[in-house]
Amino acid sequence: MPSEIAVIGGGPAGLLAAQRLAEAGYYVTIYDAQPTVGRKFLVAGHGGFNLSNAEPLPTFEQRYGDRHGHFRDFLSYFSPTALRDWLQSLGISTFVGTSGRIFPTDDYKPAHVLRAWLNRLHTLGVQIKTRHRWLGFAPNQGLQLHDEATSQPLTIYPAATVLALGGASWTKTGSDGQWTTALTRIGIRCVPFGPSNCGAEVAWSAFFREKVGRAPLKNIALQGQGQTVRGELMLTEYGLEGTPVYALTPGLRRVLATQAPAELLLNLKPDLSPEQVYQKLQAPRKGKSLAAYLEKTLRLGPPVPTLLRELAPPAADATPQALAELLQRLPIPVSGLRPLEEAISTAGGVAWEEVNEHLMLQRRPGVFVAGEMLDWEAPTGGYLLQGCFSTGAWAARGIDLWLRHQQ
Ligand SMILES: Cc1cc2nc3c(=O)[nH]c(=O)nc-3n(C[C@H](O)[C@H](O)[C@H](O)COP(=O)(O)OP(=O)(O)OC[C@H]3O[C@@H](n4cnc5c(N)ncnc54)[C@H](O)[C@@H]3O)c2cc1C
């Protein structure tokens, strides 16, 4: 008689763990607090739906920062190639974009992928119980749930469990982070949540906010805490958003936590060397306004002149040298990060010392943890979903090994 497994949380990590376990012959039931599963996966299309990245493993694993040692195993076990093969098996082809990001072909949206995936889970006999909120542990390896449709409490006794409860942003998708209460109650350390991959706040003047509002800065480089990221930045009424600033949030968060002033350096011409910029600024200005001069010499149009006026001291463009320096190292003071609720992902979660090498909770044998609820973070670009899929597959592997060992 195959063992019964409970997967709590029907996001990408939980759904993948469920599929792997069902394929290995287990009876799997997914419980999720929301009326439907995969709600955060469905919003992943906002701003380009990338499922993974084609970067080679040695650099890929570095995207997980201090956790790269753990991720080497997870990514080797369920790699970006395995992810593409799995998507193909669902009928979803993928391609590698110029940035290395892996996208679905034919403009497939997350809803297409999720539909095909849920059909596969159905075929494999996986049960999905929505509106079932996990409340905590019960004696004798039990799990306490609340059936929100009938308002009835429920205690289940699966042979093993995957917890894949997500982070704590975009709470309307179900990732509310309330699960930390149940874990800390039994002594499991959870690292406090923090926003990751989110916008940065800059105290723009009222004039700047009104004049610029929301405007893109294409093909720039942003530097912070020794790291430089290329891409497109968006100036917004509250500050900055876009891939380069998202990628720098771990460093910004660390500095801001010490109450020290945080600063980013903006390079508006990253394809030119400092000498080349300086050379171009040798052209006589002949009474031209700064805006007209920058447009003519370096093809830097609005909102760059307003940005320089906002951030640089009054005479900072007085000499070509000073202006060249400014254009490639424009300091932007960051006053804070956007709230956790708005963040694309969450730092913090279950501390690594609480799980063994199979992602099983040391204090609760038979309960495994996967996805964003673990204490890791990674930049956008497909690394987040790949991390969730790979830890989901790894937790499923851990359950299989553990149950075989119990027999
Ligand atoms: C706007 C946006 C765009 C994104 N775009 C991308 C992208 O293009 N590429 C990429 O790689 N990543 C992207 N991400 C990140 C990606 O969506 C997440 O990393 C991923 O969904 C996390 O998966 P998860 O399974 O760990 O958790 P989640 O997807 O958050 O799922 C957790 C599940 O657990 C359930 N749950 C929580 N608590 C309980 C409880 N007590 N009882 C029962 N169920 C519970 C929730 O209802 C939810 O269904 C994006 C995120 C956002 C917000």
Side-chain angles (χ1 to χ4, degrees):
M1 177 80 177
S3 305
E4 294 192 12
I5 313 287
V7 173
I8 319 281
L15 294 178
L16 196 82
Q19 179 169 352
R20 305 282 287 199
L21 287 160
E23 284 167 348
Y26 295 100
Y27 286 134
V28 183
T29 305
I30 299 170
Y31 297 88
D32 198 291
Q34 292 294 308
T36 53
V37 294
R39 292 187 161 208
K40 192 174 254 183
F41 184 70
L42 289 178
V43 299
H46 287 214
F49 174 40
N50 38 134
L51 288 142
S52 184
N53 200 290
E55 202 168 42
L57 195 56
T59 37
F60 202 118
E61 70 189 32
Q62 299 296 331
R63 303 294 182 165
Y64 299 88
D66 296 349
R67 314 295 170 207
H68 65 268
H70 295 95
F71 275 84
R72 185 171 311 144
D73 287 340
F74 311 151
L75 295 167
S76 304
Y77 181 66
F78 191 76
S79 65
T81 309
L83 175 60
R84 295 184 74 183
D85 292 345
W86 166 73
L87 285 162
Q88 191 63 60
S89 77
L90 295 180
I92 309 286
S93 319
T94 51
F95 71 97
V96 180
T98 44
S99 57
R101 293 170 186 225
I102 295 173
F103 297 95
T105 57
D106 303 317
D107 211 18
Y108 281 125
K109 301 286 177 238
H112 295 111
V113 180
L114 187 62
R115 202 173 310 126
W117 196 358
L118 293 179
N119 282 338
R120 174 65 51 85
L121 292 176
H122 181 70
T123 310
L124 287 164
V126 174
Q127 303 273 324
I128 299 184
K129 298 200 174 182
T130 55
R131 296 180 207 265
H132 280 68
R133 177 169 289 279
W134 176 66
L135 299 178
F137 299 103
N140 304 320
Q141 303 303 312
L143 298 172
Q144 283 178 333
L145 295 154
H146 186 252
D147 179 342
E148 303 200 331
T150 60
S151 290
Q152 292 298 313
L154 176 72
T155 305
I156 56 168
Y157 298 90
T161 301
V162 179
L163 295 179
L165 301 164
S169 69
W170 286 64
T171 48
K172 66 176 182 196
T173 65
S175 325
D176 57 20
Q178 286 180 20
W179 48 263
T180 52
T181 312
L183 293 188
T184 49
R185 204 183 293 139
I186 63 159
I188 293 173
R189 189 170 82 86
C190 293
V191 178
F193 294 122
S196 186
N197 291 302
C198 64
E201 293 182 346
V202 181
W204 303 126
S205 66
F207 170 79
F208 184 86
R209 278 205 303 276
E210 193 171 314
K211 175 137 195 217
V212 174
R214 206 177 153 81
L217 290 173
K218 294 188 194 263
N219 191 20
I220 56 89
L222 199 61
Q223 189 190 320
Q225 287 74 49
Q227 199 189 342
T228 303
V229 187
R230 297 277 301 251
E232 178 174 327
L233 198 62
M234 184 66 82
L235 304 176
T236 71
E237 297 221 322
Y238 69 72
L240 309 170
E241 58 188 50
T243 313
V245 70
Y246 297 163
L248 297 174
T249 48
L252 284 173
R253 212 180 42 245
R254 272 192 294 275
V255 175
L256 290 163
T258 66
Q259 314 294 330
E263 187 179 84
L264 294 168
L265 291 176
L266 174 64
N267 184 344
L268 290 154
K269 278 285 169 190
D271 291 324
L272 300 182
S273 68
E275 295 71 31
Q276 286 170 318
V277 175
Y278 177 66
Q279 279 306 321
K280 288 187 183 282
L281 293 175
Q282 293 301 307
R285 199 147 153 179
K286 288 189 201 147
K288 281 195 184 67
S289 68
L290 178 67
Y293 185 62
L294 287 177
E295 179 76 65
K296 185 163 177 3
T297 51
L298 287 160
R299 280 194 267 142
L300 286 173
V304 171
T306 319
L307 187 64
L308 291 183
R309 264 184 228 112
E310 173 78 5
L311 294 172
D317 63 333
T319 65
Q321 198 148 17
L323 184 55
E325 162 84 9
L326 212 53
L327 293 172
Q328 291 197 298
R329 289 179 66 80
L330 184 64
I332 309 182
V334 172
S335 55
L337 292 175
R338 292 301 282 172
L340 184 59
E341 173 61 20
E342 284 177 25
I344 289 178
S345 61
T346 313
V350 177
W352 285 93
E353 76 267 14
E354 298 291 349
V355 291
N356 71 8
E357 72 273 27
H358 301 298
L359 294 179
M360 185 171 80
L361 288 174
Q362 315 264 22
R363 291 170 202 268
R364 198 77 190 186
V367 178
F368 294 70
V369 183
E372 201 177 326
M373 70 179 289
L374 278 157
D375 176 27
W376 58 274
E377 62 182 315
T380 56
Y383 305 105
L384 296 168
L385 281 173
Q386 181 69 54
C388 294
F389 289 127
S390 293
T391 51
W394 188 258
R397 171 189 176 272
I399 286 191
D400 191 38
L401 291 173
W402 189 74
L403 288 175
R404 284 173 196 277
H405 187 70
Q406 303 293 303
Q407 283 167 2

